[in-house]
Amino acid sequence: MTKDVIALTPRMPDPLTVLAALLAGGPDKLVGTAGEDAVVQLCDDQGRPLVSIEAPLLVQVAGEAERLLGATAPPVPFWWTEARATTGVEEAELLAGTFAARIATLAGGSAWPPEAARSLAVVKTEGVSVAPTPAAAQPAVDALTDKVAVIIQDRPVIAMTAWLSDAFRAAANAELGLQIVTSPGATLSPAVRNSLSGWPSRWVVQDEKDGYYDGLSGAVLRWQNGMFATVEAADATPEDPRTPVAASYQEVANTGERQLAISFRTVHPADDRLVLGGALESVWQELTGQAPAGWGTAEPANLPWSLRRLTDVAFDRAPAPTWLVVVGSPDRPGLATVRISRTKAGVEEDVTLAFGYGPGEEPPLDALPRVAEVLATRHHLQSMLVQLRKARRDLAVPPRFEGPGVPLAFVLGAEEVREMPGDRARRTPLAEPPVQLGPRSRPALYYPLPGDPSDLSGWQDFERLMRHLKGA
């Protein structure tokens, strides 16, 4: 299993510190680079990487080391230096641990996990060789077939790190799926969960009872035809190709924790004066009383919240799309993923947002109409869906059944209402009529969904509404 070791230091590792750490394998160890020189690699005698090291990252957002590693980091700002050891090579893991231990010793701070970075001594790697693999050019990928790229991770939270983001991008460019294999105790960051929606990409969980299963659906898996695929049940038929569900996935615990989940899209006219991120900031302010804490193009989110800097990054990358992760303060768990893209309609922001609440905390449901009105009147809202679901307060996604959310409301933007024929948008098959938002001459519409939280009737109401709006 690939071993990640991370140094968390209050001071930036200077060149001499990095050099001393790179000598963890002795003075004769080959050094190479990858990723346009952003990754330094300690290599075997054939030039194949034993350890790959990312450039140090300055983290200016409190709580990220605790959220992703369960580790206590120095006060912000601090430096996050990450090393990955090649899969299945014990000396490579020792080398990564020694590298991180030397960084932590010379620059202050600590290393994670602590047990991997206990020695400063030179690691003997003479004669150690890494098996050649087509994936060697992509440090995050452990195995590669003609169908999928496989990544084996051993972290408490599988986050959308720069490594993993690059692997997603490389797999997509090669038209491959991405399969992430973890231990049963791992969880996913919502940022990773939202990126694993397309088959054959999946989260593969190792399990003592069933071997492997899909952490998001519970389907039992096995390695077949070059990828992890579902196992057919004994009574499966071509008409009903059912698959068994892992027993571990069905171990449900009712903790009383909940999440308020909001997904929305805004479409802005393309303009040089356009400032992005304002819609998300408005929602955050209405529901928590404060702005987001930080953002980044990968996890950990390392930059303090700034509309101007976020906009500059998106404009610099245009016309290519920009993917971002946004986080809240540690006392109010919140996380959003944002995809900014240029289309014929303008500049689109697709946002998936969730806030976590403990058993004694009430989500601010009475603020939802106000949230919808702010988006509709100030931020060119196209549509919005709000759900309440039984899920963890810390927002981490466990390999267990959490159940579907209950839809609370759907909002249709003013432009979409105007384009519908007749008064279809104002008529509704639901018990309650829609609420008009904004000016009467050009309103957006807020549809309350009065489903029973104890069953799936809310989704039935939502499906009826969607069929009605589409004219079906």
Side-chain angles (χ1 to χ4, degrees):
M1 181 172 288
T2 305
K3 191 70 175 181
D4 300 350
V5 187
I6 301 164
L8 307 171
T9 61
R11 301 192 303 275
M12 178 181 180
D14 59 33
L16 288 178
T17 297
V18 174
L19 178 60
L22 289 174
L23 290 173
D28 299 325
K29 186 55 56 189
L30 295 178
V31 177
T33 62
E36 298 180 350
D37 297 335
V39 177
V40 176
Q41 296 175 321
L42 295 174
C43 305
D44 65 10
D45 295 340
Q46 305 301 314
R48 293 185 291 259
L50 289 166
V51 176
S52 299
I53 302 150
E54 274 273 351
L57 177 71
L58 180 63
V59 178
Q60 303 175 68
V61 181
E64 284 296 87
E66 290 81 359
R67 178 176 73 90
L68 298 176
L69 303 176
T72 300
V76 292
F78 64 89
W79 291 89
W80 178 301
T81 307
E82 188 158 339
R84 289 180 60 84
T86 296
T87 302
V89 182
E90 182 181 358
E91 291 84 357
E93 295 184 9
L94 295 173
L95 195 58
T98 300
F99 171 85
R102 291 186 174 195
I103 292 288
T105 298
L106 294 173
S110 60
W112 178 94
E115 64 274 11
R118 297 189 183 280
S119 174
L120 301 176
V122 171
V123 178
K124 295 182 179 180
T125 57
E126 291 80 5
V128 174
S129 180
V130 181
T133 169
Q138 176 54 257
V141 174
D142 295 294
L144 195 64
T145 74
D146 60 350
K147 296 182 177 68
V148 297
V150 179
I151 294 176
I152 307 173
Q153 288 261 278
D154 185 19
R155 299 169 78 135
V157 179
I158 311 305
M160 188 60 82
T161 60
W163 304 99
L164 190 54
S165 179
D166 289 344
F168 267 107
R169 190 179 304 111
N173 291 339
E175 299 183 347
L176 299 173
L178 188 73
Q179 299 190 335
I180 302 173
V181 183
T182 75
S183 64
T187 61
L188 295 187
S189 161
V192 176
R193 188 263 312 275
N194 295 342
S195 300
L196 282 174
S197 56
W199 181 89
S201 297
R202 64 171 79 242
W203 177 20
V204 182
V205 181
Q206 296 176 325
D207 183 58
E208 292 183 356
K209 302 174 184 177
D210 294 291
Y212 298 93
Y213 69 91
D214 188 305
L216 299 180
S217 71
V220 175
L221 306 172
R222 70 181 177 196
W223 183 262
Q224 47 191 335
N225 300 321
M227 66 179 181
F228 286 98
T230 55
V231 175
E232 287 191 357
D235 56 350
T237 65
E239 294 75 24
D240 185 12
R242 66 186 65 178
T243 186
V245 176
S248 298
Y249 180 78
Q250 302 177 64
E251 297 172 355
V252 180
N254 186 5
T255 63
E257 296 174 297
R258 292 176 292 175
Q259 292 177 13
L260 183 63
I262 303 174
S263 55
F264 64 89
R265 173 180 290 181
T266 61
V267 184
H268 308 278
D271 190 304
D272 290 340
R273 296 169 296 177
L274 174 63
V275 177
L276 297 167
L280 177 59
E281 182 180 79
S282 295
V283 173
W284 219 292
Q285 287 277 12
E286 292 290 336
L287 294 177
T288 71
Q290 56 189 356
W295 70 285
T297 56
E299 292 181 287
N302 66 310
L303 299 171
W305 181 248
S306 166
L307 295 179
R308 173 51 59 189
R309 192 167 182 183
L310 183 155
T311 301
D312 289 343
V313 168
F315 271 68
D316 288 344
R317 296 187 175 191
T322 297
W323 182 93
L324 307 170
V325 60
V326 181
V327 299
S329 59
D331 62 323
R332 169 51 57 221
L335 188 143
T337 58
V338 184
R339 181 178 174 83
I340 300 169
S341 53
R342 179 68 184 269
T343 67
K344 293 181 180 179
V347 180
E348 297 186 4
E349 290 181 282
D350 283 291
V351 179
T352 301
L353 167 65
F355 294 105
Y357 301 88
E361 300 173 315
E362 287 299 323
L365 304 184
D366 56 349
L368 294 177
R370 173 61 182 166
V371 168
E373 184 163 23
V374 168
L375 290 178
T377 57
R378 302 180 191 173
H379 298 288
H380 303 279
L381 177 69
Q382 185 180 73
S383 63
M384 180 175 79
L385 175 65
V386 183
Q387 303 174 54
L388 187 65
R389 61 193 183 207
K390 296 179 180 179
R392 291 170 51 143
R393 182 183 187 273
D394 65 5
L395 306 179
V397 182
R400 304 286 185 271
F401 178 75
E402 288 190 313
V406 177
L408 302 179
F410 177 74
V411 184
L412 198 61
E415 186 63 24
E416 284 62 40
V417 171
R418 186 185 67 83
E419 291 180 352
M420 281 200 175
D423 62 346
R424 181 191 300 167
R426 292 172 176 80
R427 291 184 288 110
T428 174
L430 305 179
E432 296 184 48
V435 178
Q436 293 194 12
L437 306 174
R440 289 187 177 184
S441 59
R442 197 171 178 274
L445 295 178
Y446 179 97
Y447 300 88
L449 294 167
D452 184 347
S454 64
D455 59 32
L456 298 181
S457 62
W459 284 114
Q460 295 169 357
D461 290 336
F462 178 69
E463 290 173 0
R464 289 168 56 208
L465 175 62
M466 292 299 100
R467 288 197 298 269
H468 169 75
L469 294 177
K470 293 176 181 178

